[in-house]
Amino acid sequence: MMNYWSYLNEYKSLRKNILKSLDKTLMSGQLFFGNQMKKFEKEFIKHNNLKYGIAVGSCTDAIYISLLGLGIGLGDEVLTVSNTAIPTVSAIRSTGAKVKFVDIDHNYLMDPKKIEKCISKKTKVIIPVHLYGLACEMDSICKLAKKYNLKIIEDCAQAQGAKYKSRKVGSFGDAGCFSFYPTKILGAYGDGGFISTNSYKLLKKVRRIRFYGIEQNDKKNRFNKKYYSNQHGINSRLDEIQSTILNIKLSKVNSWINKRNKLAKIYSRELKKTSLVLPKVPENSKHVFHLYVVYHKKREIIIKNLNKNKIKININYPFPIHKMKAYNRNKNVKYHNLSTTEKMAKGIFSLPLYPSLKEENVLRITKIIKKILKDM
Ligand SMILES: Cc1ncc(COP(=O)(O)O)c(C=O)c1O
């Protein structure tokens, strides 16, 4: 079976460097909040042209902590989309806030035209999800947020490096949340996440919340008052081992994004005359192709035949969140019309795409798909 994603190929190429650096890290005697995490925070901010930021334990935590930092809780409403990964929604619900789903456009992203009718007096935050590696229509979303005095938290879990009008994601909202889950554009070898922000006030809050509300002073003492909490917080640390790995991988990530784009171009070129609906890249956007998602009404037949050819296919995601047991009868989950979300969920599937995938494999996959479609 062809590997859907493979961190192993990438690890093999970085192994010497990683093992040497990990030994150094482990010998340093510092497992948390050490030089590796501090270096990563600085470098990640620089790499993505962000203003401030902190590393945390995961993107789920990043969204939860950002919401807490903005004071979101019981009685508030947060807008997002239903075709996202579960954690976007679980992070909102963990704060006690209600979730309101906005329908999507034909790029699978929050449809700005459908936001306004979802806004009520209780709405406090919009969470646009830059799904599959493509940035949302941030001009329209920012305009609406300004008009209704709403905060924006960008879910950048799948879109590290993506650009909207030459600006990288994570720099538009009050906060941006990134994931370093191993399959992501920049992946650790375990969990990891990041919160970016343009607000120094929010930076200080989220920094406290990630560590039990304890004030962290990086300049002199590591902590002002070691065992004293200033506000309710949780434990969400990016450890030194994951930070060491991420520091090494950060220098490679642009070349991996280029490779993803190269493979995506081959898919688009080879499949353009078929009945598959292919991903479109808006003129003003830089896609990072975390996933290459196509749509076809008869996807089950196509997937079955691809599997027969030992090509494993994933669906991201087969169930919109509002259709899931955990959320479908929940009075804290609301939505109006999600017809595009529901239609897309029935036909989408993701073709294999990861940086170590060979061009000849992509050509083989496209050849098989063309034959399947012809025989259908
Ligand atoms: C869109 C989106 N948001 C949030 C997350 C949560 O990321 P993490 O696994 O780092 O908590 C993911 C990861 O699957 C995701 O794809």
Side-chain angles (χ1 to χ4, degrees):
M1 187 70 80
M2 182 181 280
N3 232 348
Y4 181 70
W5 61 271
S6 168
Y7 85 88
L8 265 180
N9 290 340
E10 165 211 288
Y11 175 61
K12 280 178 197 160
S13 71
L14 302 172
R15 192 172 176 197
K16 256 193 197 155
N17 196 359
I18 286 180
L19 291 180
K20 201 170 135 201
S21 303
L22 281 180
D23 186 56
K24 229 174 171 180
T25 296
L26 289 168
M27 290 303 288
S28 76
Q30 186 100 48
L31 294 175
F32 295 107
F33 298 128
N35 290 336
Q36 287 291 337
M37 189 201 78
K38 283 180 203 157
K39 179 179 172 201
F40 179 68
E41 286 184 338
K42 256 194 214 148
E43 296 296 323
F44 190 77
I45 289 167
K46 207 161 87 188
H47 184 89
N48 286 293
N49 303 324
L50 305 167
K51 194 161 181 191
Y52 307 114
I54 58 159
V56 291
S58 70
C59 183
T60 314
D61 284 357
I63 299 169
Y64 177 58
I65 293 170
S66 300
L67 287 163
L68 291 184
L70 291 170
I72 302 306
L74 223 59
D76 297 326
E77 280 178 5
V78 177
L79 306 187
T80 192
V81 286
S82 182
N83 67 328
T84 182
I86 299 163
T88 315
V89 176
S90 69
I92 300 169
R93 287 294 301 119
S94 298
T95 66
K98 279 188 185 176
V99 182
K100 246 192 190 173
F101 290 122
V102 180
D103 206 4
I104 54 170
D105 59 20
H106 283 80
N107 275 331
Y108 313 106
L109 302 174
M110 182 181 274
D111 188 341
K113 292 194 291 297
K114 296 180 184 155
I115 294 175
E116 208 155 8
K117 68 168 185 262
C118 299
I119 297 172
S120 78
K121 279 197 180 123
K122 292 179 179 171
T123 310
K124 299 281 163 54
V125 180
I126 308 177
I127 305 187
V129 182
H130 305 306
L131 204 70
Y132 308 148
L134 182 64
C136 296
E137 244 305 325
M138 289 314 292
D139 274 356
S140 314
I141 294 172
C142 291
K143 225 177 186 174
L144 279 170
K146 203 166 172 204
K147 181 173 170 190
Y148 290 95
N149 197 20
L150 307 177
K151 303 287 185 193
I152 294 175
I153 297 175
E154 294 171 70
D155 184 335
C156 311
Q158 302 190 1
Q160 195 281 132
K163 284 183 189 168
Y164 174 79
K165 293 194 175 171
S166 71
R167 235 170 102 185
K168 282 195 181 168
V169 296
S171 64
F172 294 89
D174 297 271
C177 300
F178 296 82
S179 171
F180 305 128
Y181 179 75
T183 59
K184 295 294 196 277
I185 297 289
L186 174 64
Y189 295 150
D191 278 314
F194 203 90
I195 302 172
S196 61
T197 179
N198 294 317
S199 154
Y200 186 65
K201 202 171 147 198
L202 185 60
L203 172 79
K204 280 172 62 178
K205 275 193 191 162
V206 293
R207 190 181 273 151
R208 268 188 236 125
I209 296 170
R210 85 168 159 188
F211 189 60
Y212 316 125
I214 296 170
E215 199 70 59
Q216 289 164 263
N217 182 347
D218 290 338
K219 282 185 195 124
K220 283 188 187 160
N221 309 319
R222 202 152 58 88
F223 306 124
N224 259 347
K225 289 180 190 166
K226 208 171 170 190
Y227 299 118
Y228 184 87
S229 176
N230 278 295
Q231 79 184 86
H232 169 66
I234 60 169
N235 166 22
S236 184
R237 300 178 279 221
L238 185 73
D239 63 55
E240 286 293 287
I241 290 180
Q242 297 307 334
S243 301
T244 303
I245 291 156
L246 287 167
N247 276 324
I248 292 168
K249 290 179 69 173
L250 187 61
S251 64
K252 312 277 177 201
V253 74
N254 280 345
S255 68
W256 291 332
I257 291 172
N258 289 342
K259 179 72 189 293
R260 283 176 182 276
N261 268 280
K262 200 170 177 192
L263 298 177
K265 258 193 188 150
I266 298 176
Y267 274 130
S268 297
R269 184 191 71 214
E270 294 297 316
L271 297 172
K272 73 171 180 249
K273 285 188 185 143
T274 67
S275 51
L276 285 178
V277 180
L278 306 179
K280 290 175 207 70
V281 185
E283 237 175 62
N284 52 15
S285 281
K286 182 186 173 187
H287 205 313
V288 289
F289 283 104
H290 169 58
L291 295 168
Y292 189 94
V293 175
V294 297
Y295 175 91
H296 199 285
K297 268 188 191 161
K298 294 183 181 167
R299 80 163 164 213
E300 313 309 334
I301 304 174
I302 303 170
I303 293 175
K304 203 170 128 197
N305 281 292
L306 282 167
N307 288 343
K308 269 191 203 161
N309 283 281
K310 301 196 186 312
I311 297 164
K312 203 177 159 204
I313 294 295
N314 217 2
I315 299 176
N316 306 84
Y317 298 95
F319 306 105
I321 311 271
H322 69 283
K323 294 279 184 189
M324 295 182 188
K325 188 179 170 191
Y327 300 104
N328 68 0
R329 284 195 207 113
N330 194 314
K331 65 179 180 359
N332 290 318
V333 176
K334 292 180 155 189
Y335 52 93
H336 298 286
N337 177 353
L338 298 177
S339 53
T340 310
T341 304
E342 288 175 12
K343 182 188 159 204
M344 297 303 188
K346 289 182 187 139
I348 48 168
F349 58 104
S350 312
L351 300 182
L353 182 61
Y354 47 89
S356 62
L357 182 64
K358 292 195 168 77
E359 290 176 30
E360 66 225 46
N361 285 336
V362 173
L363 286 169
R364 179 181 158 256
I365 294 165
T366 57
K367 210 170 152 192
I368 293 168
I369 293 175
K370 281 193 259 190
K371 175 146 191 349
I372 295 169
L373 291 172
K374 208 170 148 213
D375 294 346
M376 250 162 58

